[in-house]
Amino acid sequence: MGASDDSDDLDSLFDDYHCDCVPESPRLYREDEDGFPSFRLIETEVGSGQVGGIILDEDGEGDGESFASSFYGSGTDWSRLQSGEEGDKSGIILDEDGDDRVRSGTASEKKLKQCNLLQMWGLKREEVGAGKLKQGNLLQMWGLKRKEVGDRGREVAPLEPELVRRKKRSKTLNGGSNGGAAVAQPRVCPFYKKIPGTLFTVDAFRYGSVEGCSAYFLTHFHADHYGGLSKRWSHGPIYCTPITARLVRMCLYVNPVFIRPLELNDEHIIGGVRVTLLEANHCPGAALIHFRLSNGQCHLHTGDFRASKLMQTYPLLANQRVDVLYLDTTYCNPRYKFPSKEDVLDFVVRVSNDFLKKQPKTLIVVGAYSIGKECVYLALSKALGVKVHANASRRRILQSFNWPDLSERISSNPKDTYLHVLPISSLRFEILHTYLKSYGDQCTNVLAFRPTGWTYSERTQLSLIKPISKGKVTIYGVPYSEHSSFTELREFVQFLRPNKIIPTVNVWNASTRDKMQSYFRQWLKDKSMSQNS
């Protein structure tokens, strides 16, 4: 779909806070129940382009200038935002890199309903047609309650919102009037996060100590995968790539004694299982994880990935049959046939060059998440022969990758280059107009790119993409995705020919699961027929 003001609003939600799921309310202690750093909202100056927030440090004190505060403030990943009521597992959700993960349900099933304003304001009619309004009980409307005090009347109880009472009830296991201890409800780890025949789990940190698990694998540093990790983690060793290991330590303060980095392409023996991490073509540090059991069976977990022809040259995948494939099915729908990353990058460079010829004093802005989309501004940097300006927290993250080609292109001075990277939530006209003013006569226009699969429409060819312009700001939404398209998924499955495929995304609805399995069967059938012909 094309870029729109609506998508601007959605994207902003994902960037303003770097956490995995929407918290029920701000917390003022160190970490929430999912193990994420706590934050509280504060007011910010209008037009600053940020939804105010302070990240509390390890001692529970706010530090708006700390690295952690800056990192979480420019982050990505409210990756399970969904339309509809809580618990409704259909609709559209966005993942940590901004791409939409489509669950069952059509747009027509997800209509917004106009609220009855009289009910919202606590007013009600005494009877139908009477035309009289009656003031409702505001204490009830706000979730407060009264308690009886003997026979001398009523006394207002201490203010206790309904949300707090619900949370108290949810944390009581076998409690109540019998005096049972208040214990947090245990979470059950889904089967598709466990590797059969091993004591391993993949991206299963939010479930705490998983029974029978001796090793926890992390595919990449996006919040819907590392959710649950914090400085309090003590349930077992965490295996991941070196880049991810540095980010886990640097951003989440996980005790390094639990972090076990594994180099890509090297075979490691863990618990009697041969484990190899392979490049996943997703975000820096992302890995496919290949498990070879002692009985010869092979399991491949893709985490999040963008399938490519290069993966078909991986010796481990080309020479060993995969028995069970745990597949990233974010775009397992025929309508998602977006262009390759290379084609999108060529388009971005071409548009930028054409724009600069007409408007030489143009400031080029790329919207990005805390982790991911680096290839877009790196491609522009190389093609235009300029450096990339990023703020301090982003520079620290980029430097942690240890990519010389990228590190040497980063600039700390915004006026040294006309290529800047900003949080994707900042790609709004009013924010970019304000940003442009700070450069005076040095830049007279802004050309911005929002690279995300969310902007994709199956009827849109790259050459037909039209920008949205307002005043001196022009914004392009380009279909640059770090997840596999439907076509790429089909080619990858037909290359591997696994005995069994387990989808890991969009699995909450039985009809959706059945539909995906029908695609898998057809892909393998087509491959078998082509080999026999």
Side-chain angles (χ1 to χ4, degrees):
M1 74 182 57
S4 67
D5 291 339
D6 290 338
S7 64
D8 287 0
D9 293 336
L10 284 172
D11 281 331
S12 69
L13 292 176
F14 289 83
D15 296 299
D16 293 330
Y17 308 110
H18 188 92
C19 57
D20 179 53
C21 54
V22 180
E24 293 184 349
S25 63
R27 301 174 185 271
L28 298 182
Y29 41 90
R30 295 182 180 179
E31 288 140 352
D32 65 16
E33 63 188 20
D34 288 327
F36 297 113
S38 303
F39 63 87
R40 64 170 179 262
L41 299 182
I42 62 171
E43 294 181 356
T44 56
E45 183 177 351
V46 176
S48 66
Q50 296 179 352
V51 177
I54 290 181
I55 307 298
L56 300 187
D57 62 21
E58 295 184 13
D59 296 321
E61 299 294 329
D63 179 9
E65 299 303 322
S66 70
F67 168 69
S69 173
S70 182
F71 173 78
Y72 287 99
S74 67
T76 80
D77 303 319
W78 276 20
S79 56
R80 297 196 303 172
L81 180 68
Q82 68 179 54
S83 59
E85 297 297 325
E86 183 178 354
D88 182 353
K89 301 302 182 181
S90 59
I92 295 178
I93 60 174
L94 300 184
D95 69 7
E96 69 290 338
D97 66 358
D99 294 335
D100 52 332
R101 298 186 176 201
V102 181
R103 292 179 177 160
S104 64
T106 63
S108 62
E109 296 172 339
K110 289 294 173 187
K111 296 179 180 178
L112 297 178
K113 182 179 180 181
Q114 175 64 46
C115 176
N116 185 324
L117 294 181
L118 297 179
Q119 293 178 358
M120 186 177 73
W121 291 334
L123 304 175
K124 62 181 179 180
R125 295 188 182 277
E126 291 183 342
E127 55 183 65
V128 177
K132 297 180 180 180
L133 300 178
K134 180 179 179 180
Q135 177 65 46
N137 187 327
L138 294 180
L139 293 177
Q140 293 178 356
M141 184 179 73
W142 291 333
L144 307 178
K145 63 180 180 181
R146 291 178 179 271
K147 64 180 180 182
E148 298 288 345
V149 183
D151 297 325
R152 295 187 178 182
R154 296 174 181 268
E155 173 182 299
V156 177
L159 301 184
E160 184 181 21
E162 177 63 25
L163 177 61
V164 175
R165 296 200 301 276
R166 287 202 306 268
K167 295 183 78 172
K168 286 182 178 179
R169 289 196 297 268
S170 69
K171 290 188 176 182
T172 300
L173 189 62
N174 300 323
S177 60
N178 295 329
V183 182
Q185 290 276 11
R187 297 185 176 188
V188 178
C189 179
F191 78 94
Y192 56 85
K193 291 183 177 289
K194 300 177 180 179
I195 304 301
T198 75
L199 301 179
F200 305 157
T201 60
V202 177
D203 298 338
F205 303 97
R206 68 176 60 254
Y207 308 99
S209 179
V210 178
E211 184 177 358
C213 179
S214 65
Y216 297 79
F217 287 82
L218 175 59
T219 58
H220 64 289
F221 195 75
H222 277 159
D224 55 336
H225 295 258
Y226 69 66
L229 279 178
S230 72
K231 66 177 183 179
R232 295 181 297 181
W233 178 265
S234 61
H235 303 306
I238 304 164
Y239 294 95
C240 56
T241 64
I243 288 178
T244 301
R246 289 193 290 272
L247 293 170
V248 166
R249 175 58 182 153
M250 183 174 69
C251 302
L252 301 180
Y253 310 111
V254 173
N255 189 331
V257 72
F258 294 106
I259 304 174
R260 311 286 175 83
L262 304 176
E263 293 291 343
L264 289 172
N265 302 315
D266 290 346
E267 186 178 84
H268 309 269
I269 308 297
I270 303 174
V273 178
R274 298 178 183 273
V275 180
T276 307
L277 274 55
L278 305 168
E279 170 61 45
N281 191 31
H282 179 62
C283 69
L288 312 175
I289 306 180
H290 186 278
F291 303 94
R292 182 172 176 81
L293 281 57
S294 58
N295 62 5
Q297 281 200 332
C298 295
H299 302 316
L300 180 67
H301 199 297
T302 67
D304 285 349
F305 83 128
R306 180 85 190 253
S308 66
K309 296 288 188 183
L310 180 62
M311 292 179 181
Q312 298 184 24
T313 67
Y314 293 176
L316 201 60
L317 302 184
N319 300 328
Q320 295 186 21
R321 181 72 175 268
V322 170
D323 294 284
V324 182
L325 172 64
Y326 295 81
L327 185 64
D328 168 18
T329 47
T330 297
Y331 287 126
C332 190
N333 188 304
R335 70 173 178 266
Y336 292 109
K337 300 177 182 177
F338 37 75
S340 68
K341 291 168 100 175
E342 293 74 18
D343 287 344
V344 177
L345 294 179
D346 289 343
F347 173 78
V348 169
V349 169
R350 184 168 63 254
V351 167
S352 299
N353 278 321
D354 291 344
F355 203 94
L356 287 169
K357 290 178 182 178
K358 299 176 182 178
Q359 301 288 347
K361 290 187 175 182
T362 294
L363 178 65
I364 299 177
V365 173
V366 176
Y369 307 101
S370 292
I371 310 294
K373 314 299 183 185
E374 293 81 8
C375 290
V376 179
Y377 48 88
L378 182 58
L380 280 169
S381 174
K382 292 178 178 180
L384 301 177
V386 297
K387 290 191 174 184
V388 181
H389 168 68
N391 64 22
S393 64
R394 189 181 298 275
R395 290 199 304 274
R396 186 177 177 188
I397 292 171
L398 296 176
Q399 296 289 0
S400 75
F401 299 163
N402 290 338
W403 291 357
D405 195 31
L406 178 60
S407 297
E408 65 187 14
R409 296 179 180 276
I410 301 173
S411 170
S412 59
N413 188 341
K415 295 191 176 182
D416 280 349
T417 178
Y418 58 84
L419 175 59
H420 292 194
V421 55
L422 295 177
I424 203 165
S425 62
S426 298
L427 268 63
R428 297 184 178 186
F429 289 110
E430 63 275 15
I431 296 174
L432 292 176
H433 273 117
T434 302
Y435 193 73
L436 177 63
K437 289 179 182 178
S438 65
Y439 293 93
D441 295 333
Q442 182 177 351
C443 296
T444 58
N445 296 274
V446 172
L447 172 63
F449 294 96
R450 178 184 289 105
T452 169
W454 182 246
T455 65
Y456 172 72
S457 169
E458 62 179 326
R459 296 188 300 272
T460 301
Q461 299 178 13
L462 284 174
S463 60
L464 300 178
I465 292 177
K466 301 298 181 184
I468 302 175
S469 298
K470 186 176 181 181
K472 297 179 179 180
V473 176
T474 299
I475 302 176
Y476 275 85
V478 292
Y480 181 89
S481 176
E482 291 175 326
H483 292 272
S484 307
S485 69
F486 184 80
T487 303
E488 290 164 341
L489 285 175
R490 181 183 63 203
E491 292 179 357
F492 186 73
V493 167
Q494 290 181 336
F495 159 67
L496 285 181
R497 294 182 294 114
N499 293 326
K500 185 176 183 180
I501 303 174
I502 298 177
T504 60
V505 184
N506 308 325
V507 298
W508 302 108
N509 182 276
S511 62
T512 303
R513 294 195 301 271
D514 292 343
K515 189 65 176 176
M516 288 191 291
Q517 290 295 341
S518 71
Y519 294 143
F520 303 155
R521 289 191 294 270
Q522 186 62 49
W523 296 345
L524 294 174
K525 179 181 178 182
D526 292 345
K527 180 66 174 181
S528 177
M529 292 178 62
S530 65
Q531 289 179 331
N532 294 332
S533 60

